[in-house]
Amino acid sequence: MLRSRTVLSVLAVAAATLLIGGPAEALADQPLPSAIFRATHNSYSGNISGARNSIAYQLDHGIRFIELDIHDNDYATSRDYSIGHDSPGNQVDHAGNPASNLLRDWLNVINTWSAQHPTAAPIVVALDIKDDLTDNTSYAAGDLAALNQEFVSVFGARLFRAEDYPASPPTVDALRGRVLPLISGDGKTRTQYKRDIGYNPAVAINGRGQVVEVHDSGSGALWYWSGTYGADGRVTWLRHGKYDNGVTPAIALNDNGDLVEVHQSQNATTLWYRVGRLGADGEITWSASRKYDDGVLPTIRFTDAAGTRLREIHRSQSNSQNWSWDGVLDAGAMAVSWSGNAKTSDARHDKTTSTSGTSRVRVWTGADGPTPSQTLRIDTDRYAGDRIRYQQVAFDEFQQGDSAELQQGALFYAAPATQSAFITAARQAGRLVRGWDFDSAGDATSPLANQPATNRPYDTWYQDLLTRSGAIQ
């Protein structure tokens, strides 16, 4: 009898919640992918080509999906991306919004509002990337590591990272006060965020857990990744950049963060080296490239505990004979003194594997599901098959017509609001789905898109539809 009364009491409270608090409050503790949120399309456009008002006004009135279009024009000068539709400043409404077009200023508006409303439902901040960021060849040029850092530096502890998304979806209440970053827009950029492609990878790890990987692009460009080996046995990659031209690179790294890289020229059999200095943030300061011999397939290792003596072994350009050099690193001058060039019966160093104490890293290429066979991968002594890629700070959106690579593991899906079949199928599959240009009640699907992104969020039809659907604030 007591149990029956308890059940009746629970049902009575639930009924009262629906009558008094409304659908939004009653459904707030549902899993995130099941929830409906008010959303705007081109949120920065305010009352240009729509009626949205300022970003703060939108948030005040229940909008929980904000879309900002960004460009990388003049990043090297401003150290920031620019808001705009077809170009920086295009269709940007500054009324009630920041006077500048700089992304950080707009993100700060969202962060300030979020800090002042810690019980608000999670805000998704989608960056529709209008330019190809894959040709930004360094952090300083505005690559995806720089974009990650902008999210992290602005939102801090409020940021909910994609890499922290649990196997079982969190509830809306568990994410109140948080900001979820989302990358949309340019397909090449979104794809590179999930994986990298390379040839002839090589790696080195030092006693401080610093890791540097180098590879060639297959078309003559040399690239590096730098990162740290963590307590969980996985490598967190901090920086990525192009550093030279050539093929078949190899790398040696000492405990001071000094590194020596060797490679072959792209269209000749000359061998070159560079000295680098690895910073705590993963940035590498490089010397000029210097020729030291002729040959192919160079490899290199430090041979002493101090990390000053080197041995380089490569193959002859004309036969299978291996040759070696001894080297002494002058870290201050960022140069190597080479001596003792001679034939050797020793095998070339294994440039794909590096060990420091009990820590071991090995790099290789191979498909990971739908990714290409030249996807860069890494094994450690504690974790196998990870991808070498940017930290997964942001969620990566899958859009109608995208490749299987972008669909793999995606939580957020998106399509024009008129594409009802795509939206419905994605909802039924448990994804968070955005329909953009949702500007008519006729665009509604069953189930409704989680984020029906409209240009006119205060129209009666939209307000009524979202209220009936239990949209959460």
Side-chain angles (χ1 to χ4, degrees):
M1 186 67 177
L2 178 61
R3 182 177 179 184
S4 297
R5 288 175 181 170
T6 302
V7 171
L8 288 172
S9 297
V10 170
L11 291 173
V13 170
T17 301
L18 284 170
L19 290 171
I20 299 170
E25 287 79 1
L27 298 174
D29 205 31
Q30 66 184 301
L32 179 66
S34 301
I36 306 295
F37 302 92
R38 291 174 175 82
T40 49
H41 174 240
N42 293 345
S43 310
Y44 58 90
S45 289
N47 294 329
I48 299 173
S49 300
R52 310 169 191 82
N53 294 326
S54 69
I55 297 295
Y57 186 95
Q58 292 174 49
L59 293 168
D60 282 340
H61 288 78
I63 302 302
R64 296 294 178 264
F65 183 100
I66 299 293
E67 179 194 21
L68 303 174
D69 294 356
I70 65 168
H71 300 263
D72 62 358
N73 305 56
D74 301 321
Y75 185 95
T77 301
S78 65
R79 287 292 192 268
D80 203 355
Y81 308 91
S82 298
I83 302 290
H85 192 259
D86 294 330
S87 60
N90 177 245
Q91 296 188 25
V92 177
D93 190 348
H94 293 285
N97 287 319
S100 83
N101 296 320
L102 296 180
L103 173 62
R104 183 178 295 273
D105 293 338
W106 291 70
L107 294 182
N108 278 327
V109 170
I110 300 169
N111 182 58
T112 298
W113 191 94
S114 180
Q116 294 170 348
H117 300 81
T119 62
I123 303 168
V124 174
V125 178
L127 299 186
D128 187 340
I129 300 172
K130 294 297 187 180
D131 300 328
D132 179 3
L133 300 191
T134 66
D135 57 5
N136 296 347
T137 58
S138 68
Y139 181 89
D143 67 6
L144 286 162
L147 188 64
N148 273 346
Q149 183 56 34
E150 190 141 341
F151 279 130
V152 171
S153 63
V154 171
F155 294 112
R158 273 180 287 281
L159 195 69
F160 185 79
R161 298 172 179 240
E163 59 198 10
D164 294 332
Y165 194 82
S168 296
T171 64
V172 173
D173 277 351
L175 295 176
R176 286 190 177 274
R178 306 298 293 275
V179 175
L180 281 64
L182 177 65
I183 292 177
S184 180
D186 182 72
K188 286 181 64 178
T189 300
R190 285 183 289 126
T191 302
Q192 192 185 66
Y193 193 72
K194 294 171 71 79
R195 54 85 175 144
D196 193 19
I197 299 299
Y199 295 75
N200 304 303
V203 71
I205 185 173
N206 67 14
R208 295 160 59 189
Q210 294 176 304
V211 180
V212 176
E213 182 274 345
V214 291
H215 62 271
D216 68 64
S217 66
S219 57
L222 292 172
W223 291 79
Y224 76 89
W225 285 93
S226 64
T228 57
Y229 177 98
D232 61 355
R234 303 182 77 163
V235 176
T236 298
W237 299 102
L238 303 175
R239 293 290 188 269
H240 177 47
K242 179 184 175 185
Y243 67 92
D244 208 334
N245 294 311
V247 294
T248 63
I251 192 84
L253 175 66
N254 69 20
D255 290 350
N256 296 321
D258 302 312
L259 55 93
V260 179
E261 180 271 355
V262 292
H263 64 269
Q264 180 185 336
S265 58
Q266 179 184 4
N267 298 314
T269 55
T270 53
L271 299 178
W272 301 75
Y273 83 94
R274 300 186 81 152
V275 174
R277 185 164 295 120
L278 177 61
D281 60 359
E283 286 288 343
I284 299 177
T285 303
W286 294 97
S287 73
S289 187
R290 303 179 178 98
K291 180 184 175 183
Y292 68 95
D293 202 354
D294 293 308
V296 296
L297 304 175
T299 62
I300 192 164
R301 288 274 178 89
F302 281 107
T303 59
D304 65 331
T308 58
R309 296 190 176 277
L310 297 145
R311 191 175 188 221
E312 186 274 346
I313 305 176
H314 63 271
R315 197 178 74 192
S316 167
Q317 69 272 26
S318 55
N319 54 50
S320 61
Q321 176 65 53
N322 285 345
W323 289 77
S324 69
W325 282 96
D326 295 322
V328 177
L329 171 65
D330 183 338
M334 298 188 76
V336 174
S337 298
W338 299 102
S339 63
N341 182 219
K343 293 180 180 180
T344 180
S345 59
D346 293 342
R348 290 178 295 115
H349 304 298
D350 177 7
K351 69 173 189 174
T352 64
T353 303
S354 181
T355 302
S356 179
T358 60
S359 301
R360 178 184 58 82
V361 291
R362 180 180 77 92
V363 292
W364 51 288
T365 58
D368 185 13
T371 72
S373 60
Q374 291 304 130
T375 300
L376 292 167
R377 311 285 295 278
I378 184 167
D379 299 337
T380 74
D381 52 288
R382 297 173 59 189
Y383 193 89
D386 217 351
R387 298 183 191 182
I388 299 176
R389 61 180 179 179
Y390 293 101
Q391 294 179 56
Q392 300 297 283
V393 171
F395 294 86
D396 206 334
E397 189 174 69
F398 170 69
Q399 297 184 0
Q400 184 183 34
D402 279 342
S403 67
E405 284 188 82
L406 282 168
Q407 186 175 19
Q408 184 186 33
L411 172 65
F412 286 85
Y413 279 45
T418 54
Q419 300 302 307
S420 57
F422 177 88
I423 292 170
T424 301
R427 280 298 322 269
Q428 291 171 342
R431 304 299 190 267
L432 270 163
V433 190
R434 172 172 66 110
W436 70 77
D437 278 334
F438 190 94
D439 290 332
S440 166
D443 291 330
T445 54
S446 181
L448 184 65
N450 305 86
Q451 295 137 345
T454 184
N455 297 295
R456 310 188 69 86
Y458 316 116
D459 283 3
T460 301
W461 70 266
Y462 186 81
Q463 292 287 343
D464 288 348
L465 174 64
L466 271 290
T467 298
R468 291 196 308 271
S469 300
I472 297 174
Q473 300 184 44

